[in-house]
């Protein structure tokens, strides 16, 4: 779901463990960066069990990524994809803490 205008838009995400972030684009052919989330900014990743995402196109596949300054609502194409994305994001965010000491 968009940050300023609260409408649902499809985005292409790229996870980068070396840079410790994941970024997103309008689609997989786009080269202009649309947004960036640093692992260090992630506070929580969770399933939207309260169905708080307004007008989600698929509430059962909606999950949240909470950062210091924004709550991202995301919808996966399948339950399996949702579990994989949540695991990858959590693992990346937790992995970041290994480099802090």
């Amino acid at each position: 779901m968009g940050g300023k205008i609260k409408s649902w838009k499809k985005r292409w995400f790229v996870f980068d463990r070396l840079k410790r972030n994941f970024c997103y684009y309008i689609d997989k052919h786009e080269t202009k960066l649309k947004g960036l989330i640093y692992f260090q900014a992630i506070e929580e990743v969770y399933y939207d069990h309260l169905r708080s995402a307004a007008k989600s196109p698929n509430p059962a596949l909606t999950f949240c990524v909470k950062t210091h300054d924004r709550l991202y609502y995301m919808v996966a194409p399948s339950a399996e994809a949702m579990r994989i994305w949540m695991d990858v994001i959590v693992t990346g965010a937790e992995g970041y803490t290994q480099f802090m000491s």
Side-chain angles (χ1 to χ4, degrees), residues 23-53:
C23 53
Y24 55 99
Y25 302 86
I26 289 175
D27 61 37
K28 65 181 173 181
H29 305 292
E30 181 63 53
T31 56
K32 185 179 175 192
L33 186 68
K34 185 78 178 156
L36 179 71
I37 302 170
Y38 289 100
F39 294 160
Q40 68 202 49
I42 297 172
E43 296 175 351
E44 288 182 86
V45 179
Y46 58 93
Y47 173 68
D48 185 27
H49 66 281
L50 296 176
R51 310 282 164 111
S52 53

Side-chain angles (χ1 to χ4, degrees), residues 53-100:
K55 297 179 184 171
S56 171
N58 195 334
L61 299 177
T62 302
F63 66 100
C64 308
V65 177
K66 183 181 179 194
T67 67
H68 301 314
D69 56 353
R70 181 172 168 190
L71 180 58
Y72 293 85
Y73 290 103
M74 302 181 186
V75 177
S78 68
E80 182 181 11
M82 181 176 72
R83 284 191 296 274
I84 290 168
W85 267 96
M86 289 176 71
D87 286 348
V88 165
I89 295 167
V90 167
T91 301
E94 288 176 350
Y96 169 78
T97 61
Q98 295 174 3
F99 300 103
M100 292 177 68

